[in-house]
Amino acid sequence: MKLKVFMFLIALSCGVSAFSQLSDLHYLPPLKQGSNNQAIQQQEVHLSTPETTPFTVNVYEGTNPAILASFTISNTTPAVHSLGNGDNNVTLVDNAHTGVVINDAGLRYVAPNGERFYVNYRGRSGSQGASLTSKGRAAMGTQFKWGGVPNLGTHVSKSNTVGIMATEDNTTVDVFGYDPNCVFRQGGNASAITADTYQITLNANESFVFEAYMGNTFSDAQSQGWIGTSIVSDKDIVISNGSLNYGRQANNTNRDAGIDQPVPENRIGKEYVFIRGNGNTNGWTEFPLIIATQNNTEIYVNGNTTPIATINNGEYFEIPSSNYSSNAVGANMYVTTNKDAYAYQCMGGSTAAYTQGLNFVAPVNCLLPDTMDNIPDIRNVAGITVTGGVTIVASSSTPDSNITVTDGNGTVALPAATPVTGSTLWKTFYVPNLNGNVTVNSSGPIAVGFIGFNGARGVAGYFSGFDTVPEVDLQVSGGGCLPSATVEVVDPNFDSYQWFENGSLIAGANGPTYTPTAAGDYFVRVIKGGCQYDSQPLTAYYCDPDVVIKKVADQNTVRHGDTVTFSITVESLGLDPVTNVVITDILPDGISLVNASVTKGSFTYPNWNVGTMTSGDLETLTLVTQVNLPDVNTQTATYTNTINNSQDQTDGNITVDDPSETVTVNFQTPTTVITNRRITIRVNRN
């Protein structure tokens, strides 16, 4: 077995990381709206800082080395960078700049002397509004998932987008894992890019913008087939993503803008607290959405020990709003996963279904900062005034009296805290009706967001939480192959260790080193000074090919004529790619095929041609079938269906397959009915 390791460079500490949302460098990749000015027209970028001494921030556009604009800011004097309206081909691109490499779009904000500051993009049109908070250097990385929420209904302005911006020359970016039926714009053709994978080469500060345009034609692929798409590069990139516009009601033209900037996969976590916005009780605009970065990711809500869902790499789950502690603004929801996952939140600015906003949410941890200083001019969204309120996640060990909120009018009374069901570590607050520059201070860790609305415009922003996401550096020693290889913490200076395999605790694995015994995902939980955090995962693969197949039926005892759905999965646990993978499923005579769908490749009964699979690749074939007794005199029939796999390489069969499912069909006993002294036999087949 060889070990594939994702390396991390910052050791766990209790200080503030230099790689944070509060940063000396910020990137704003360009995005694409479905129709010019209908999602965003007026645009501004707000710059703020906790620094009391004024300093300079320079702005650069695309690859142009000349300074586009320069601002002097301090804690008491934030600045506003006004941008061109609509499709200005800097922050929002037109059709001609979509689906092609561009060098004159995207912005960089740089403090040449290293001072740290916040960058918050705000935009609006006649009826829509959006906010995006740059994550600074924390946004730079090589492995991302395209995020957002399903875009329902139709309208000419409805569109989904991701903007990618390179930080170094000769950066190769691979985009894959989206619905094969999802298509992307290139110039004037909204469906020009049809390939199942796409590769881009960018130089420093060049950009590429994808648009999955919906318009007035709804399809699941365009609505949501892009969610969870993998964006992987060989050098650091930054992405922004979301929908311009999106709707949350099927068969409706309701819409608003929702965008944010995520961090790479090595900066996310497993524990999240969500705070409800002003959305209606129907839940259309109030829900979290979780995107998996690893197979078999279990999602738990409010401390329940049974997962609400289990999803695989690139899949997502929308958690129903009924899991919030109440239907009132400020209610909370506690969500944990057994493996690192992305977390997005759809929030309502008001009870209207068309005032939603989108937040990329940071995981909670005991190293969160204790200050958010400040959110500038909280009610100003590119020239219009919105209601202004903040959400606060705070440590439950911090006295309420130690948490202060100030705005342009001074100190604001803090409402009573809402406890978090399922966790004794956190509590939440919602503070509405704020004005001017808003600061939150605490003696313990906090995470702060803001929401607001004006008429049909809803906005949301998450302003903290990535400042101190810690990392634990792991490496492989002992030759790199089992049984002699071990994984170890590079700087073993923590108070305690606990290793996990596929999210489950490994009993007795309590040292700084561990020897894996099987393919899987491994991480170590460390504690220092009472503060606990998990390392990012590393995945162990076998040297030899190991193709694992499994077949599961949604029901195993049925009646004649019933429908049975089979889920067939194939997973590659070998280090190297396997090619020409084919899964064969010959159904027995008593079971007939109704329809089939695949996550990769093509299906022509009885063969599923998967193609090439790389390490960790897990794909699914769904077969909808109908059972039919060939002989009406048969009381029961049992059918066992077995799948098999073939590929160019020899399958080592190291992991046990589960290729068979048995379905029992019951023929219901005929009913005897006396009618006019005649005996009528009524045969019930179902």
Side-chain angles (χ1 to χ4, degrees):
M1 183 187 295
K2 289 185 179 178
L3 300 175
K4 183 178 182 181
V5 183
F6 300 96
M7 298 301 293
F8 330 45
L9 303 176
I10 306 174
L12 185 64
S13 67
C14 292
V16 176
S17 165
F19 298 91
S20 65
Q21 189 163 303
L22 187 63
S23 179
D24 65 324
L25 172 65
H26 294 265
Y27 288 83
L28 287 182
L31 292 168
K32 177 71 170 69
Q33 59 182 334
S35 186
N36 187 31
N37 294 327
Q38 293 207 26
I40 293 175
Q41 183 175 12
Q42 290 79 18
Q43 304 167 66
E44 295 176 343
V45 175
H46 290 251
L47 311 176
S48 61
T49 182
E51 301 282 349
T52 57
T53 302
F55 63 90
T56 298
V57 174
N58 295 326
V59 187
Y60 299 86
E61 178 183 310
T63 61
N64 192 335
I67 296 174
L68 174 69
S70 187
F71 300 91
T72 299
I73 65 172
S74 71
N75 182 248
T76 56
T77 57
V80 177
H81 181 197
S82 297
L83 304 169
N85 287 351
D87 292 348
N88 53 33
N89 286 325
V90 177
T91 49
L92 296 172
V93 296
D94 59 18
N95 289 350
H97 286 73
T98 305
V100 296
V101 175
I102 48 180
N103 59 22
D104 55 355
L107 295 173
R108 284 177 295 131
Y109 292 81
V110 182
N113 294 319
E115 298 91 348
R116 298 186 301 153
F117 59 102
Y118 295 102
V119 169
N120 180 214
Y121 169 91
R122 303 176 193 176
R124 55 97 175 181
S125 61
S127 299
Q128 282 75 49
S131 167
L132 178 153
T133 305
S134 166
K135 306 307 183 293
R137 291 187 181 271
M140 299 168 59
T142 60
Q143 196 157 342
F144 298 82
K145 289 286 190 289
W146 184 347
V149 300
N151 194 345
L152 306 181
T154 59
H155 188 270
V156 67
S157 71
K158 289 190 176 180
S159 178
N160 314 294
T161 184
V162 61
I164 304 167
M165 196 167 181
T167 67
E168 298 183 50
D169 288 341
N170 300 313
T171 299
T172 300
V173 183
D174 289 297
V175 182
F176 57 93
Y178 45 85
D179 187 316
N181 295 313
C182 190
V183 296
F184 306 106
R185 176 181 295 281
Q186 190 171 67
N189 186 346
S191 56
I193 299 176
T194 60
D196 292 348
T197 64
Y198 203 80
Q199 188 175 86
I200 310 153
T201 300
L202 300 173
N203 286 324
N205 306 317
E206 289 184 337
S207 298
F208 192 98
V209 180
F210 282 94
E211 180 192 21
Y213 180 64
M214 290 180 58
N216 287 320
T217 303
F218 179 86
S219 73
D220 285 340
Q222 295 302 101
S223 162
Q224 55 209 270
W226 46 273
I227 300 175
T229 296
S230 292
I231 302 172
V232 179
S233 60
D234 60 350
K235 300 175 183 177
D236 281 351
I237 59 173
V238 177
I239 76 167
S240 294
N241 54 212
S243 299
L244 297 168
N245 284 311
Y246 75 115
R248 291 300 305 157
Q249 288 179 279
N251 305 312
N252 200 297
T253 60
N254 285 347
R255 59 201 182 276
D256 207 337
I259 53 176
D260 210 341
Q261 183 174 98
V263 296
E265 291 184 18
N266 66 337
R267 294 185 181 276
I268 54 178
K270 304 180 183 69
E271 184 180 11
Y272 295 90
V273 176
F274 300 92
I275 302 177
R276 199 182 192 282
N278 281 299
N280 196 290
T281 57
N282 56 35
W284 283 331
T285 60
E286 293 292 345
F287 60 89
L289 183 140
I290 304 299
I291 302 173
T293 63
Q294 301 170 65
N295 295 331
N296 300 310
T297 296
E298 298 169 353
I299 304 170
Y300 299 87
V301 178
N302 295 332
N304 290 326
T305 57
T306 300
I308 193 172
T310 301
I311 57 178
N312 291 321
N313 180 28
E315 295 179 345
Y316 72 88
F317 182 73
E318 190 176 305
I319 303 176
S321 66
S322 57
N323 290 283
Y324 277 108
S325 55
S326 75
N327 285 325
V329 60
N332 61 50
M333 187 192 307
Y334 180 62
V335 176
T336 59
T337 57
N338 67 327
K339 300 180 181 181
D340 288 358
Y342 280 98
Y344 284 84
Q345 182 179 10
C346 186
M347 304 177 72
S350 72
T351 57
Y354 43 79
T355 62
Q356 68 267 13
L358 181 72
N359 271 349
F360 173 64
V361 178
V364 291
N365 69 84
C366 57
L367 299 181
L368 288 170
D370 58 12
T371 301
M372 200 295 100
D373 189 10
N374 55 41
I375 301 175
D377 203 2
I378 192 171
R379 300 190 65 184
N380 175 21
V381 176
I384 57 115
T385 300
V386 301
T387 61
V390 296
T391 60
I392 304 171
V393 179
S395 170
S396 57
S397 63
T398 303
D400 290 3
S401 58
N402 286 11
I403 302 171
T404 59
V405 179
T406 59
D407 69 359
N409 297 319
T411 303
V412 179
L414 193 70
T418 302
V420 174
T421 301
S423 174
T424 60
L425 300 177
W426 306 101
K427 58 186 175 183
T428 63
F429 301 87
Y430 171 63
V431 186
N433 302 318
L434 301 176
N435 294 279
N437 301 335
V438 176
T439 295
V440 182
N441 287 290
S442 172
S443 60
I446 55 171
V448 179
F450 80 92
I451 58 174
F453 73 97
N454 173 299
R457 308 176 188 91
V459 295
Y462 210 79
F463 248 86
S464 57
F466 296 101
D467 301 64
T468 53
V469 175
E471 299 170 1
V472 184
D473 190 6
L474 303 180
Q475 70 179 13
V476 182
S477 62
C481 289
L482 292 182
S484 59
T486 60
V487 290
E488 62 183 26
V489 180
V490 173
D491 295 312
N493 295 314
F494 302 105
D495 298 336
S496 66
Y497 306 84
Q498 176 61 63
W499 290 89
F500 290 75
E501 177 183 3
N502 295 324
S504 298
L505 183 147
I506 305 172
N510 305 120
T513 64
Y514 178 70
T515 301
T517 59
D521 299 316
Y522 295 86
F523 71 88
V524 64
R525 178 167 294 162
V526 297
I527 295 177
K528 186 170 186 178
C531 192
Q532 171 185 295
Y533 203 76
D534 296 344
S535 75
Q536 292 293 314
L538 80 167
T539 305
Y541 296 117
Y542 298 108
C543 284
D544 294 331
D546 187 30
V547 180
V548 185
I549 57 175
K550 183 177 182 180
K551 184 167 188 176
V552 177
D554 65 339
Q555 51 184 339
N556 294 94
T557 301
V558 297
R559 293 185 294 183
H560 172 82
D562 281 355
T563 296
V564 177
T565 299
F566 294 100
S567 295
I568 296 96
T569 58
V570 56
E571 184 175 14
S572 176
L573 296 181
L575 182 66
D576 298 319
V578 286
T579 56
N580 195 30
V581 178
V582 178
I583 309 299
T584 301
D585 189 353
I586 301 175
L587 297 170
D589 290 341
I591 301 178
S592 58
L593 179 64
V594 178
N595 60 62
S597 61
V598 298
T599 58
K600 182 179 182 179
S602 61
F603 179 77
T604 303
Y605 181 80
N607 293 321
W608 174 22
N609 295 288
V610 185
T612 299
M613 298 184 69
T614 57
S615 54
D617 196 359
L618 188 151
E619 305 296 342
T620 302
L621 162 66
T622 302
L623 296 180
V624 179
T625 67
Q626 188 175 51
V627 294
N628 297 285
L629 284 170
D631 184 351
V632 294
N633 294 315
T634 302
Q635 295 299 305
T636 63
T638 300
Y639 303 106
T640 298
N641 180 214
T642 301
I643 60 176
N644 60 74
N645 61 288
S646 64
Q647 57 283 319
D648 293 336
Q649 296 76 19
T650 300
D651 184 0
N653 282 318
I654 304 167
T655 305
V656 177
D657 295 323
D658 183 14
S660 300
E661 273 290 80
T662 298
V663 176
T664 299
V665 185
N666 293 323
F667 177 71
Q668 203 168 22
T669 304
T671 303
T672 303
V673 181
I674 299 178
T675 306
N676 295 330
R677 298 190 179 188
R678 294 180 180 179
I679 296 178
T680 302
I681 305 297
R682 179 176 299 140
V683 179
N684 296 320
R685 292 192 181 184
N686 45 46

